Amino acid sequence: NRHSVYGQNWTYTLNPFWNLAERLRLLINVASSFKAPSLFYLYSPYGNLDLRPETSTNLDAGAQFSVSANRYVRAVYFRRNIRDAVFFESLNVAPFGRYVNLTRQDAHGLELDAAWAVGRVQLTGNYTYLNGTQTVPGGANSQDVTTPNLLRRPRHVANVVASYQFGKKLMLSGVLRSVGARTDRFFNETTFRSEDVTLRSYTTLDVYGRYQPTARLSFFADLQNLTNAQYFEVYGFASRRFNATVGAVATF
């Protein structure tokens, strides 16, 4: 890609895999990308014509052991390195801010997921560990500053889904979700500064059931946040507590 403002950029993707055995596969994905500055970033009152495109390199590598399509275990390590990420910098003079490029952002983690079906029981689960940092320029007379960079992103997330088929007419399933503590940022109207706040970890349980007495008629019930947990995905905006939906579907 060639552009008169942000120059020339190119990307690549490499995605091989190896079947080491009938049930064991190794996989890897290496790719790069770039994101051009938007017109607002360039030409708005806060714009900066010296912005460089955001560029990144991405690596995923892992292994999967499969017995069948619904019986497998998989583990994947991932790493992402972003350079020149666009960031809004506050200023003490008008227009009191501008868009600049950060030095870099780095993130890495591990994903585990599995599925197993035995008779009428279907189990699936996954776990993600995530860690990341960002580095900002320290100015002409100081070193760059590296800080954690997991805004609204937990380090630990786990999900477990279980379902059971009671014959041909009745099915029940449950979803257990656990989310670790996260850091969010909000603008304090008293101090006129952006401040960090910790969002507490939480666990929710959802239950879903469906009964289909005939081919043209079915009843369902969806119970969400069964434990009535109070949690926040975004600071200051509460999520729904326990709630339920029940209904029927008829096909004519």
Side-chain angles (χ1 to χ4, degrees):
N1 181 284
R2 183 188 298 270
H3 192 273
S4 60
V5 175
Y6 54 82
Q8 179 173 303
N9 296 273
W10 62 281
T11 61
Y12 60 86
T13 300
L14 179 65
N15 182 218
F17 66 88
W18 296 268
N19 288 322
L20 297 183
E22 181 180 357
R23 297 179 177 179
L24 180 61
R25 169 180 292 188
L26 298 182
L27 55 94
I28 188 171
N29 180 68
V30 182
S32 68
S33 64
F34 80 96
K35 180 180 178 182
S38 69
L39 294 177
F40 187 81
Y41 291 167
L42 294 172
Y43 298 106
S44 72
Y46 314 103
N48 182 358
L49 289 176
D50 293 328
L51 285 177
R52 298 178 298 276
E54 296 181 6
T55 60
S56 71
T57 55
N58 305 274
L59 168 67
D60 298 89
Q64 176 173 316
F65 178 79
S66 302
V67 177
S68 62
N70 56 5
R71 295 184 182 183
Y72 66 86
V73 177
R74 178 168 52 215
V76 176
Y77 170 80
F78 61 88
R79 175 175 290 275
R80 181 178 65 181
N81 303 112
I82 299 177
R83 298 296 179 265
D84 297 323
V86 176
F87 177 77
F88 186 79
E89 178 185 48
S90 298
L91 300 175
N92 294 325
V93 296
F96 304 105
R98 66 169 180 170
Y99 289 100
V100 296
N101 289 108
L102 293 174
T103 302
R104 66 178 185 268
Q105 289 181 337
D106 301 298
H108 67 275
L110 179 67
E111 292 181 340
L112 305 174
D113 68 289
W116 201 261
V118 180
R120 298 179 179 182
V121 179
Q122 174 72 49
L123 298 172
T124 61
N126 60 76
Y127 166 78
T128 301
Y129 167 77
L130 175 64
N131 196 4
T133 60
Q134 70 176 11
T135 302
V136 299
N141 300 318
S142 61
Q143 296 181 343
D144 292 350
V145 178
T146 299
T147 57
N149 181 40
L150 293 178
L151 195 65
R152 298 177 184 168
R153 299 295 300 274
R155 289 198 176 190
H156 305 279
V157 175
N159 298 277
V160 177
V161 181
S163 64
Y164 187 82
Q165 187 73 41
F166 295 84
K168 296 181 180 181
K169 297 182 179 181
L170 178 62
M171 185 276 292
L172 292 176
S173 67
V175 179
L176 183 67
R177 175 176 174 81
S178 178
V179 178
R182 295 90 63 220
T183 298
D184 201 354
R185 186 170 296 139
F186 74 101
F187 182 76
N188 191 321
E189 296 181 352
T190 302
T191 62
F192 300 102
R193 293 179 178 273
S194 294
E195 300 179 7
D196 288 346
V197 62
T198 298
L199 304 179
R200 293 184 301 176
S201 60
Y202 67 89
T203 300
T204 61
L205 174 64
D206 302 337
V207 175
Y208 177 83
R210 185 182 69 246
Y211 177 68
Q212 188 169 5
T214 69
R216 296 181 178 272
L217 179 64
S218 64
F219 303 91
F220 68 89
D222 187 8
L223 310 179
Q224 298 187 1
N225 196 1
L226 199 60
T227 58
N228 200 32
Q230 183 179 21
Y231 62 95
F232 299 87
E233 295 287 2
V234 179
Y235 180 73
F237 294 86
S239 300
R240 288 194 297 176
R241 305 289 287 268
F242 169 71
N243 60 96
T245 303
V246 295
V249 178
T251 304
F252 300 97

